[in-house]
Coordinates of all heavy atoms in Angstrom, one line a residue:
M24 N -9.4 0.2 -7.8 CA -8.9 1.6 -7.6 C -7.4 1.5 -7.3 O -6.9 0.4 -6.9 CB -9.5 2.4 -6.5 CG -8.9 2.2 -5.1 SD -9.8 3.0 -3.8 CE -8.4 4.1 -3.2
I25 N -6.6 2.6 -7.6 CA -5.2 2.4 -7.4 C -4.8 2.6 -6.0 O -5.3 3.5 -5.4 CB -4.5 3.5 -8.3 CG1 -4.7 3.3 -9.8 CG2 -3.0 3.6 -7.9 CD1 -4.2 2.0 -10.3
V26 N -4.1 1.7 -5.4 CA -3.6 1.8 -4.0 C -2.2 2.4 -4.0 O -2.0 3.3 -3.2 CB -3.5 0.3 -3.5 CG1 -2.9 0.3 -2.1 CG2 -4.8 -0.3 -3.4
C27 N -1.3 2.0 -4.8 CA 0.0 2.5 -4.9 C 0.2 3.3 -6.1 O 0.3 2.8 -7.2 CB 1.1 1.4 -4.9 SG 2.7 2.0 -4.9
V28 N 0.1 4.7 -6.0 CA 0.1 5.6 -7.1 C 1.5 5.5 -7.8 O 1.6 5.6 -9.0 CB -0.2 7.0 -6.6 CG1 -0.1 8.1 -7.8 CG2 -1.7 7.1 -6.0
C29 N 2.6 5.5 -6.9 CA 4.0 5.6 -7.4 C 4.2 4.5 -8.4 O 4.9 4.6 -9.4 CB 4.9 5.5 -6.4 SG 4.9 6.9 -5.2
N30 N 3.6 3.3 -8.2 CA 3.9 2.2 -9.0 C 2.7 1.6 -9.8 O 2.8 0.6 -10.3 CB 4.5 1.0 -8.1 CG 5.8 1.4 -7.5 OD1 6.8 1.7 -8.2 ND2 5.8 1.4 -6.1
N31 N 1.7 2.4 -9.7 CA 0.4 2.1 -10.3 C -0.1 0.7 -10.1 O -0.3 -0.1 -11.0 CB 0.7 2.3 -11.9 CG -0.6 2.4 -12.7 OD1 -1.6 2.8 -12.2 ND2 -0.6 1.8 -13.9
I32 N -0.3 0.4 -8.8 CA -0.8 -1.0 -8.4 C -2.2 -0.8 -7.8 O -2.3 0.0 -6.9 CB 0.2 -1.6 -7.4 CG1 1.6 -1.7 -8.0 CG2 -0.3 -2.9 -6.9 CD1 2.7 -2.0 -7.2
S33 N -3.1 -1.5 -8.3 CA -4.5 -1.5 -7.8 C -4.8 -2.5 -6.7 O -4.1 -3.4 -6.6 CB -5.4 -1.8 -9.0 OG -5.3 -3.1 -9.4
D34 N -6.0 -2.2 -6.1 CA -6.4 -3.2 -5.1 C -6.7 -4.6 -5.7 O -6.5 -5.6 -5.1 CB -7.7 -2.7 -4.4 CG -8.8 -2.4 -5.3 OD1 -8.6 -2.2 -6.5 OD2 -10.0 -2.2 -4.7
R35 N -7.2 -4.6 -7.0 CA -7.4 -5.8 -7.6 C -6.1 -6.6 -7.8 O -6.1 -7.8 -7.6 CB -8.1 -5.5 -9.1 CG -8.7 -6.6 -9.6 CD -9.5 -6.3 -10.8 NE -8.7 -5.9 -11.9 CZ -8.5 -6.7 -13.0 NH1 -9.2 -7.8 -13.1 NH2 -7.7 -6.3 -13.9
E36 N -5.0 -5.9 -8.1 CA -3.8 -6.6 -8.2 C -3.2 -7.1 -7.0 O -2.7 -8.3 -6.9 CB -2.6 -5.7 -8.8 CG -2.9 -5.5 -10.4 CD -2.0 -4.3 -10.9 OE1 -2.4 -3.2 -10.7 OE2 -0.9 -4.7 -11.3
I37 N -3.5 -6.4 -5.9 CA -3.1 -7.0 -4.5 C -3.9 -8.2 -4.2 O -3.4 -9.2 -3.7 CB -3.3 -5.8 -3.5 CG1 -2.3 -4.7 -3.7 CG2 -3.1 -6.4 -2.1 CD1 -2.4 -3.5 -2.8
R38 N -5.3 -8.2 -4.5 CA -6.0 -9.3 -4.2 C -5.6 -10.5 -5.1 O -5.6 -11.7 -4.6 CB -7.6 -9.1 -4.4 CG -8.1 -8.2 -3.2 CD -9.6 -8.2 -3.3 NE -10.1 -7.4 -4.4 CZ -10.4 -6.1 -4.2 NH1 -10.1 -5.4 -3.1 NH2 -10.7 -5.3 -5.2
Q39 N -5.3 -10.3 -6.3 CA -4.8 -11.4 -7.2 C -3.5 -12.0 -6.6 O -3.3 -13.2 -6.6 CB -4.6 -10.9 -8.6 CG -5.8 -10.7 -9.4 CD -5.6 -10.0 -10.7 OE1 -4.6 -9.3 -11.0 NE2 -6.6 -10.0 -11.6
A40 N -2.6 -11.1 -6.0 CA -1.3 -11.6 -5.5 C -1.6 -12.4 -4.3 O -1.0 -13.5 -4.1 CB -0.5 -10.4 -5.1
V41 N -2.6 -12.1 -3.5 CA -3.0 -12.9 -2.3 C -3.5 -14.2 -2.7 O -3.1 -15.2 -2.3 CB -4.0 -12.1 -1.5 CG1 -4.5 -13.0 -0.4 CG2 -3.5 -10.9 -0.8
D42 N -4.3 -14.2 -3.8 CA -4.8 -15.4 -4.3 C -3.7 -16.4 -4.9 O -3.7 -17.5 -4.9 CB -5.8 -15.2 -5.5 CG -7.1 -14.7 -5.0 OD1 -7.4 -14.8 -3.9 OD2 -7.7 -14.1 -5.9
L43 N -2.5 -15.8 -5.3 CA -1.4 -16.5 -5.7 C -0.4 -16.9 -4.7 O 0.7 -17.5 -4.8 CB -0.6 -15.7 -6.8 CG -1.4 -15.5 -8.2 CD1 -0.6 -14.6 -9.1 CD2 -1.7 -16.9 -8.8
G44 N -0.8 -16.6 -3.3 CA 0.0 -17.1 -2.2 C 0.6 -16.0 -1.3 O 1.3 -16.2 -0.4
I45 N 0.5 -14.7 -1.8 CA 1.2 -13.7 -1.0 C 0.4 -13.4 0.3 O -0.8 -13.4 0.2 CB 1.4 -12.4 -1.8 CG1 2.6 -12.5 -2.6 CG2 1.5 -11.1 -0.9 CD1 2.9 -11.4 -3.6
S46 N 1.1 -13.2 1.4 CA 0.4 -13.1 2.8 C 1.0 -12.1 3.6 O 0.6 -12.0 4.8 CB 0.4 -14.5 3.5 OG 1.6 -14.9 3.7
S47 N 1.9 -11.3 3.1 CA 2.4 -10.2 4.0 C 2.8 -8.9 3.2 O 2.9 -9.1 1.9 CB 3.7 -10.8 4.6 OG 4.8 -10.8 3.7
V48 N 2.9 -7.9 3.9 CA 3.3 -6.6 3.2 C 4.6 -6.7 2.7 O 4.9 -6.2 1.6 CB 3.1 -5.4 4.1 CG1 3.6 -4.2 3.5 CG2 1.6 -5.2 4.6
A49 N 5.5 -7.4 3.3 CA 6.9 -7.5 2.9 C 6.9 -8.3 1.5 O 7.7 -7.9 0.6 CB 7.7 -8.4 4.0
E50 N 6.1 -9.2 1.3 CA 6.0 -9.9 0.1 C 5.4 -9.1 -1.1 O 5.9 -9.1 -2.2 CB 5.1 -11.3 0.2 CG 5.9 -12.4 0.9 CD 4.9 -13.6 1.1 OE1 3.9 -13.3 1.9 OE2 5.3 -14.6 0.5
L51 N 4.4 -8.2 -0.7 CA 3.8 -7.3 -1.6 C 4.9 -6.3 -2.1 O 5.0 -6.0 -3.2 CB 2.7 -6.4 -1.0 CG 1.3 -7.1 -0.9 CD1 0.3 -6.1 -0.2 CD2 0.8 -7.5 -2.3
H52 N 5.6 -6.0 -1.1 CA 6.8 -5.0 -1.5 C 7.8 -5.6 -2.3 O 8.1 -5.0 -3.4 CB 7.4 -4.7 -0.1 CG 8.5 -3.7 -0.1 ND1 8.4 -2.3 0.3 CD2 9.8 -3.8 -0.4 CE1 9.5 -1.7 0.1 NE2 10.4 -2.6 -0.2
R53 N 8.2 -6.9 -2.1 CA 9.1 -7.5 -2.9 C 8.6 -8.0 -4.3 O 9.3 -7.8 -5.3 CB 9.6 -8.8 -2.2 CG 10.9 -9.3 -2.6 CD 11.4 -10.4 -1.7 NE 10.6 -11.5 -1.4 CZ 10.1 -11.7 -0.1 NH1 10.6 -11.2 0.9 NH2 9.3 -12.8 0.0
E54 N 7.3 -8.5 -4.2 CA 6.9 -9.1 -5.6 C 6.2 -8.1 -6.5 O 6.4 -8.1 -7.7 CB 5.9 -10.2 -5.2 CG 6.5 -11.3 -4.4 CD 7.6 -12.1 -5.1 OE1 7.6 -12.1 -6.3 OE2 8.5 -12.6 -4.4
L55 N 5.5 -7.0 -5.9 CA 4.8 -6.1 -6.7 C 5.4 -4.7 -6.7 O 5.1 -3.9 -7.5 CB 3.3 -6.0 -6.3 CG 2.4 -7.2 -6.4 CD1 1.0 -6.8 -6.0 CD2 2.4 -7.7 -7.8
G56 N 6.3 -4.5 -5.6 CA 6.8 -3.1 -5.6 C 6.0 -2.2 -4.8 O 6.3 -1.0 -4.8
V57 N 4.9 -2.7 -4.1 CA 4.0 -1.8 -3.3 C 4.9 -1.1 -2.2 O 5.6 -1.7 -1.5 CB 2.9 -2.5 -2.7 CG1 2.2 -1.7 -1.7 CG2 2.1 -3.3 -3.7
G58 N 4.8 0.2 -2.2 CA 5.5 1.0 -1.1 C 7.0 1.2 -1.3 O 7.7 1.6 -0.4
T59 N 7.4 0.9 -2.5 CA 8.9 1.0 -2.7 C 9.4 2.4 -2.9 O 10.5 2.7 -3.0 CB 9.4 0.2 -3.8 OG1 8.6 0.4 -4.9 CG2 9.3 -1.3 -3.5
M60 N 8.4 3.4 -3.1 CA 8.8 4.8 -3.4 C 8.5 5.7 -2.2 O 9.3 5.7 -1.3 CB 8.2 5.3 -4.7 CG 8.4 4.3 -5.8 SD 9.4 4.6 -7.2 CE 9.1 6.1 -7.8
C61 N 7.3 6.4 -2.3 CA 7.0 7.3 -1.1 C 6.6 6.6 0.1 O 6.7 7.1 1.2 CB 5.9 8.3 -1.6 SG 4.3 7.6 -1.6
G62 N 6.0 5.4 0.0 CA 5.6 4.5 1.1 C 4.3 5.0 1.7 O 3.7 4.4 2.6
K63 N 3.5 6.0 1.1 CA 2.2 6.4 1.6 C 1.2 5.4 1.4 O 0.1 5.4 2.1 CB 1.8 7.7 0.9 CG 2.6 8.9 1.4 CD 2.1 10.2 0.7 CE 2.9 11.4 1.2 NZ 2.8 12.4 0.2
C64 N 1.4 4.4 0.6 CA 0.3 3.4 0.4 C 0.4 2.2 1.2 O -0.5 1.4 1.3 CB 0.5 2.9 -1.1 SG 2.1 2.1 -1.3
V65 N 1.4 2.1 2.1 CA 1.6 0.9 2.9 C 0.4 0.6 3.7 O 0.0 -0.6 3.8 CB 2.9 0.9 3.6 CG1 3.1 -0.2 4.5 CG2 4.1 0.9 2.6
S66 N -0.1 1.6 4.5 CA -1.1 1.2 5.5 C -2.4 0.7 4.8 O -3.1 -0.2 5.2 CB -1.5 2.3 6.4 OG -1.9 3.4 5.8
Y67 N -2.7 1.4 3.6 CA -3.9 0.9 2.8 C -3.7 -0.4 2.1 O -4.6 -1.2 2.1 CB -4.4 1.9 1.8 CG -5.6 1.7 1.1 CD1 -6.8 1.3 2.0 CD2 -5.8 1.6 -0.3 CE1 -7.9 0.9 1.3 CE2 -7.0 1.2 -0.8 CZ -8.1 0.8 0.0 OH -9.2 0.5 -0.7
A68 N -2.5 -0.6 1.7 CA -2.1 -1.9 1.0 C -2.4 -3.0 2.1 O -2.8 -4.1 1.8 CB -0.8 -1.9 0.5
R69 N -1.9 -2.8 3.4 CA -2.0 -3.7 4.4 C -3.5 -4.0 4.7 O -3.9 -5.2 4.9 CB -1.3 -3.2 5.6 CG -1.4 -4.2 6.8 CD -0.6 -3.6 8.1 NE 0.8 -3.5 7.9 CZ 1.5 -2.3 7.8 NH1 0.8 -1.2 8.0 NH2 2.7 -2.3 7.6
E70 N -4.2 -3.0 4.7 CA -5.8 -3.2 4.8 C -6.4 -4.1 3.8 O -7.0 -5.0 4.1 CB -6.4 -1.9 4.9 CG -7.4 -1.5 5.9 CD -7.9 -0.2 5.7 OE1 -7.3 0.7 6.4 OE2 -8.9 0.1 5.1
V71 N -6.1 -3.8 2.5 CA -6.6 -4.6 1.4 C -6.0 -6.0 1.6 O -6.9 -7.0 1.3 CB -6.1 -3.9 0.1 CG1 -6.5 -4.9 -1.2 CG2 -6.7 -2.6 -0.1
L72 N -4.8 -6.2 1.9 CA -4.2 -7.5 2.0 C -4.9 -8.3 3.1 O -5.4 -9.5 2.9 CB -2.8 -7.4 2.3 CG -2.0 -8.7 2.8 CD1 -1.4 -9.3 1.5 CD2 -0.8 -8.2 3.6
H73 N -5.1 -7.7 4.2 CA -5.7 -8.5 5.4 C -7.2 -8.7 5.2 O -7.6 -9.8 5.5 CB -5.3 -7.8 6.7 CG -3.9 -8.0 7.1 ND1 -3.2 -6.9 7.6 CD2 -3.1 -9.1 7.0 CE1 -2.0 -7.3 7.8 NE2 -1.9 -8.6 7.4
E74 N -7.9 -7.8 4.6 CA -9.3 -8.0 4.3 C -9.4 -9.2 3.4 O -10.4 -10.0 3.5 CB -9.9 -6.8 3.7 CG -10.6 -5.8 4.7 CD -11.1 -4.6 3.9 OE1 -11.4 -4.5 2.8 OE2 -11.1 -3.6 4.7
H75 N -8.5 -9.3 2.4 CA -8.8 -10.4 1.4 C -8.3 -11.6 2.0 O -8.9 -12.7 1.7 CB -8.0 -10.0 0.1 CG -8.4 -11.0 -1.1 ND1 -9.7 -10.9 -1.5 CD2 -7.7 -11.8 -1.9 CE1 -9.7 -11.9 -2.5 NE2 -8.4 -12.3 -2.7
L76 N -7.3 -11.7 2.8 CA -6.9 -13.0 3.6 C -8.0 -13.4 4.4 O -8.2 -14.7 4.4 CB -5.5 -12.6 4.3 CG -4.2 -12.6 3.7 CD1 -3.2 -12.1 4.6 CD2 -3.9 -13.9 3.0
E77 N -8.6 -12.5 5.1 CA -9.7 -12.9 6.0 C -10.9 -13.3 5.3 O -11.7 -14.1 5.8 CB -10.0 -11.7 7.0 CG -9.1 -11.5 8.0 CD -9.1 -10.2 8.8 OE1 -10.1 -9.6 8.6 OE2 -8.0 -9.8 9.3
S78 N -11.1 -12.9 4.0 CA -12.3 -13.3 3.3 C -12.2 -14.7 2.7 O -13.1 -15.2 2.0 CB -12.6 -12.2 2.2 OG -11.6 -12.4 1.2
K79 N -11.0 -15.2 2.8 CA -10.7 -16.5 2.1 C -11.2 -17.8 2.9 O -11.3 -17.7 4.1 CB -9.2 -16.8 1.7 CG -8.8 -15.7 0.7 CD -7.3 -15.8 0.5 CE -7.1 -16.8 -0.5 NZ -6.0 -17.1 -1.2
Ligands
LIG122 FE1 3.1 3.4 -3.1 FE2 4.1 5.8 -3.3 S1 2.1 5.3 -3.3 S2 5.1 4.0 -2.9

């Protein structure tokens, strides 16, 4: 499902980014553009990020 509507970024893409070494919202922001527009996706993006980090 889409996490960041403004930039069309899915939870799958966030998990793939974590698998490639991303470990913070700041990096998601910089590398994928998550939260760079309205910012409403940031808390859910953080949840997806941390859930996937913890599942590793
Ligand atoms: Fe991510 Fe707007 S939904 S910046």
Side-chain angles (χ1 to χ4, degrees):
M24 91 179 242
I25 295 299
V26 174
C27 181
V28 177
C29 295
N30 296 302
N31 197 32
I32 298 165
S33 67
D34 57 341
R35 199 168 70 107
E36 286 170 277
I37 292 176
R38 284 195 287 271
Q39 281 170 347
V41 170
D42 289 339
L43 293 172
I45 278 179
S46 62
S47 71
V48 172
E50 284 173 298
L51 279 181
H52 185 96
R53 196 169 56 236
E54 302 297 328
L55 296 186
V57 173
T59 52
M60 309 243 324
C61 76
K63 287 184 182 158
C64 56
V65 172
S66 67
Y67 186 50
R69 181 178 294 115
E70 226 175 272
V71 172
L72 171 85
H73 288 137
E74 264 175 27
H75 195 57
L76 279 172
E77 283 160 22
S78 75
K79 292 177 85 162

